[in-house]
């Protein structure tokens, strides 16, 4: 579709209206971003609504202060409406999702003549299930409830968290419309183990057959999805939809224009989404829970009925799974080179090239067959129970029984499916090993994956497979894992090759000044276009990056002692300091050593909830008292402390990845096999992105000033250090030798 004069006029007028309405000046970088996104979308050719131009994406790196959200909204909304496509905006965090829905979109509509509608899309598990809340309150007062197995599934052992008064408050707030049933909108943080008791998933939900359907928080939030011009989602929901084939939850990729904000998270999110695991002993305990639930259910099913026969088949299949899990555990325990040390009660074993020992591979094949059998029978029973909701037909199961037991069996079915994913992944061992021709694996992965491999010119690495053995005082377990090593083929075949158009944006998409890392990990199409938007910050005038003289390197045993000695001098005279560590243990050791001498000065991110940590820090600064924040990785990226709330960022150590991460180790192994250098191709670029993110905490507005201190001398003493230093914003450098 050519970018018509009418659409150009809508974009330009919309931008002028917003600038005038908010009384702000146009930003050069923001204008560049608007133009680039509009041109990209305008260059997409189509026929009868279907894209005819090659698959492509528009990748825009734009730093803090650019105004990314306004830029992509202004550019994309008129084009999406002209194309008749839904604009799907996906974020990595709930906070940004809510900001776009509650602030940015209303702001744009208020200050411009653009006419558009929007809705928020979250997964079912973020919403209250009234049926489960009602059952939870019922069970609280009736200890011998027939539906007790529902809470036996996911409640912790011993006393359940969450009081009756809490659940009654929840019910009252939702009933009076003071709360919309969204977990993220509850005034306090709800612990996971409490929330699991009052939410549901697609396997447990009876949909229209539920007596609370008309007042359901999830379906109420979904009502506008089909008609909205803009759907604000998150990366996890997009990936979940793609795993279901696309179009199951969100609009079909072919009918959508995607904008991925915080896009640097997308490849890792995809890996997590398509990973699988099975804890062997915990699964055997879960099978006992299944057996107990089946025993309680049996009296509700008339003998000789199809459902009763299916119940017997589930019992038999469950015993088969239990037997094979016992053998898998014994094999993994006895024939794996576990190495425990005094400090850790956990040992990890990675299978090189994803290749399993022959005995374990054979047992995995047996576990796959047994688990698939269990999944099939649980699915059949769930179908039997669901059939009882159809009042137009006579059924062997009464509706009350179906309502009580459908969520229970649905939950078991869902968990069995999760287990089956691991065994399927472990049984692909033969196909995962490198071969001279790719025909079999290409067929297995689909045409999109084949195209991705041909397009990128290399074979995807074998999946990572590993096992973790944990010891407690009175028990132990072995958990088996599988994960893709790169998300390139997954994202290309399921997303980029299908979407009508895709825009990726973030403050950190390049590594060492190049897009190569993102291109490889996300499997971006050849025809994609890339832009780095110049920053409006005057970095050289606003801040310095300092590398003080230190005789101790982070690799030395005495580095923690050196930090304890050096840090007080660095925060002396400062009102607001952030000290970033790569190790939580080291952070705590330094805090324990310094806190007695500096009471009421240091707050670590582990002291309380993140929001409360930041609130206390800002409160101290407002009162004129100094404050020092200690944090690890999540504070290096996810906090915003503008102006007086942060003047000094101290980076204790370069953020290199943990060497025992099995996915990174598998990727390094693959790079080595191809004749590459894993340290320079993976470790250094990854560290560069993390370092840029950490440094990015300092300057949040054009008025901010401050300094960054890097205590890791490798940044000037090693050859790769210059690459890391040059990838940082152009601060004025102060380096001591």
């Amino acid at each position: 579709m050519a970018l018509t004069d009418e659409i150009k006029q809508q974009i330009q007028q919309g931008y002028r209206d917003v600038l005038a309405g908010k009384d702000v000046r146009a930003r050069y970088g923001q204008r560049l971003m608007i133009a680039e996104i509009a041109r990209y979308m305008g260059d997409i050719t189509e026929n009868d609504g279907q894209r005819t131009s090659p698959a492509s994406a528009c990748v825009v790196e734009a730093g803090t202060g650019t105004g990314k959200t306004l830029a992509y909204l202004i550019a994309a909304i008129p084009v999406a409406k002209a194309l008749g496509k839904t604009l799907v905006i996906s974020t990595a965090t709930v906070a940004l999702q809510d900001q776009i829905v509650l602030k940015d979109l209303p702001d744009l509509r208020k200050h411009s003549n653009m006419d558009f509608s929007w809705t928020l899309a979250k997964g079912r598990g973020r919403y209250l299930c009234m049926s489960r809340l009602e059952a939870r309150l019922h069970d609280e007062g009736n200890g011998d409830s027939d539906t007790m197995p529902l809470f036996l599934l996911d409640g912790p052992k011993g006393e359940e968290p969450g009081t009756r008064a809490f659940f009654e408050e929840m019910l009252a707030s939702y009933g009076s419309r003071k709360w919309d049933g969204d977990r993220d909108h509850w005034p306090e943080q709800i612990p996971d183990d409490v929330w699991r008791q009052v939410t549901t998933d697609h396997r447990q939900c009876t949909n229209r057959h539920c007596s609370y359907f008309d007042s359901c928080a999830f379906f109420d939030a979904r009502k506008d999805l089909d008609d909205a011009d803009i759907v604000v989602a998150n990366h996890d929901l997009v990936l979940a939809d793609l795993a279901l084939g696309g179009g199951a939850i969100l609009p079909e990729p072919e009918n959508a224009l995607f904008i991925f904000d915080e896009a640097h998270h997308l490849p890792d999110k995809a890996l997590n989404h398509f990973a699988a695991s099975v804890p062997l002993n915990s699964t055997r305990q879960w099978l006992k829970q299944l057996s107990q639930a089946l025993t309680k259910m049996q009296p509700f099913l008339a003998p000789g009925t199809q459902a009763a026969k299916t119940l017997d088949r589930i019992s038999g299949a469950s015993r088969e799974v239990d037997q094979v899990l016992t053998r898998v555990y014994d094999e993994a325990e006895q024939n794996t080179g576990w190495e425990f040390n005094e400090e850790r009660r956990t040992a990890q074993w990675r299978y090189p090239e994803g290749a399993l020992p022959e005995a374990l591979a054979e047992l995995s094949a047996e576990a796959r067959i047994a688990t698939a059998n269990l999944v099939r029978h649980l699915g059949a029973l769930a179908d039997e129970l669901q059939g009882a909701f159809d009042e137009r037909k006579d059924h062997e199961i009464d509706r009350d029984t179906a309502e009580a037991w459908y969520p229970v069996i649905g939950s078991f079915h869902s968990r069995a499916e999760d287990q089956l994913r691991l065994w399927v992944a472990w049984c692909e061992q033969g196909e995962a090993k490198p071969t001279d021709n790719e025909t079999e694996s290409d067929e297995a992965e689909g045409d999109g994956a084949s195209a991705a491999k041909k397009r990128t010119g290399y074979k995807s690495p074998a999946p990572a497979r590993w096992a973790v053995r944990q010891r407690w005082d009175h028990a132990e377990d072995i958990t088996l894992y599988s994960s893709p090593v790169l998300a390139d083929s997954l994202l290309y075949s399921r997303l980029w090759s299908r979407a009508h158009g895709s825009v990726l944006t973030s403050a950190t998409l390049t590594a060492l000044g190049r897009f190569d890392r993102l291109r490889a990990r996300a499997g971006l199409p050849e025809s994609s276009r890339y832009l780095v938007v110049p920053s409006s910050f005057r970095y050289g005038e606003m801040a310095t990056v300092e590398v003080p003289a230190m005789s101790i390197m982070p690799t030395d045993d005495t580095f923690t002692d050196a930090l304890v000695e050096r840090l007080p001098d660095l925060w002396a005279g400062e009102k607001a300091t952030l000290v970033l560590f790569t190790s939580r243990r080291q952070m705590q050791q330094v805090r324990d050593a310094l806190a007695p001498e500096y009471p009421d000065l240091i707050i670590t991110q582990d002291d309380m909830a993140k929001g409360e940590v930041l609130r206390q820090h800002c409160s101290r600064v407002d009162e004129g008292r100094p404050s020092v924040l200690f944090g690890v990785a999540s504070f290096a990226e996810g906090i915003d402390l503008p102006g007086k709330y942060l003047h000094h960022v101290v980076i204790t150590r370069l953020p290199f990845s943990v060497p025992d991460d099995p996915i990174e180790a598998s990727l390094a192994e693959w790079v080595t096999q191809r004749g590459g250098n894993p340290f320079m191709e993976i470790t250094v670029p990854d560290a560069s992105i993390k370092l840029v993110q950490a440094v990015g905490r300092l300057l949040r507005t054009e008025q901010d000033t401050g300094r960054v201190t890097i205590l890791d001398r490798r940044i000037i003493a090693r050859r790769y250090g210059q690459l890391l230093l040059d990838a940082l914003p152009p601060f004025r450098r102060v380096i001591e030798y």
Side-chain angles (χ1 to χ4, degrees), residues 606-656:
D606 293 337
D607 290 345
M608 57 204 81
K610 180 178 175 181
E612 182 61 20
V613 168
L614 298 179
R615 191 195 67 76
Q616 287 201 14
H617 169 78
C618 293
S619 177
R620 287 181 182 180
V621 175
D622 287 337
E623 293 168 7
R625 294 188 291 149
S627 181
V628 176
L629 282 179
F630 278 14
V632 288
S634 60
F635 267 39
E637 181 186 356
I639 61 172
D640 188 18
L641 294 169
K644 65 180 181 179
Y645 298 115
L646 185 58
H647 192 259
H648 191 184
V649 176
V650 180
I651 296 166
T652 59
R653 186 175 186 144
L654 295 176
F656 292 122

Side-chain angles (χ1 to χ4, degrees), residues 654-720:
L654 295 176
F656 292 122
S657 298
V658 180
D660 62 354
D661 180 270
I663 298 175
E664 293 296 321
S666 297
L667 182 57
E669 182 179 67
W670 176 70
V671 169
T672 302
Q673 288 171 349
R674 294 171 56 233
N677 180 334
F679 184 75
M680 293 306 298
E681 292 184 36
I682 303 168
T683 308
V684 173
D686 286 0
S688 176
I689 285 186
K690 293 173 185 173
L691 190 60
V692 170
Q693 288 169 344
V695 167
R697 298 311 94 211
L698 182 64
L699 303 180
R700 310 305 293 170
T701 73
E702 293 182 28
Q703 289 73 45
D704 291 353
T705 59
R707 61 185 179 132
V708 175
T709 300
I710 299 174
L711 296 178
D712 191 334
R713 295 285 292 183
R714 290 177 295 180
I715 201 162
I716 57 170
R718 301 287 187 266
R719 283 185 302 166
Y720 59 78

Side-chain angles (χ1 to χ4, degrees), residues 8 143 191 208 246 285 294 325 347 358-359 366 451 483 601 620 627:
K8 289 179 184 175
R208 294 183 181 279
Q285 289 298 317
L294 296 178
L325 290 184
E358 186 175 349
E366 289 185 37
S483 171
L601 176 68
R620 287 181 182 180
S627 181

Side-chain angles (χ1 to χ4, degrees), residues 495-526:
L495 181 56
W496 315 129
S497 64
R498 295 182 58 192
H500 198 81
S502 304
V503 174
L504 292 82
T505 186
S506 170
T508 47
L509 293 177
T510 58
L512 302 175
R514 301 168 63 89
F515 286 100
D516 295 359
R517 178 185 181 277
L518 178 70
R519 187 185 292 119
R521 295 200 174 203
L524 293 170
E526 274 184 356

Side-chain angles (χ1 to χ4, degrees), residues 48-92:
D48 196 25
Q50 297 301 302
R51 190 192 70 223
T52 55
S53 50
S56 67
C58 176
V59 183
V60 182
E61 180 177 271
T64 304
T66 303
K68 292 188 290 293
T69 308
L70 178 61
Y72 61 64
L73 291 176
I74 289 274
I77 290 173
V79 180
K81 292 195 71 174
L83 286 167
K85 303 296 181 186
T86 304
L87 184 63
V88 177
I89 300 169
S90 178
T91 74

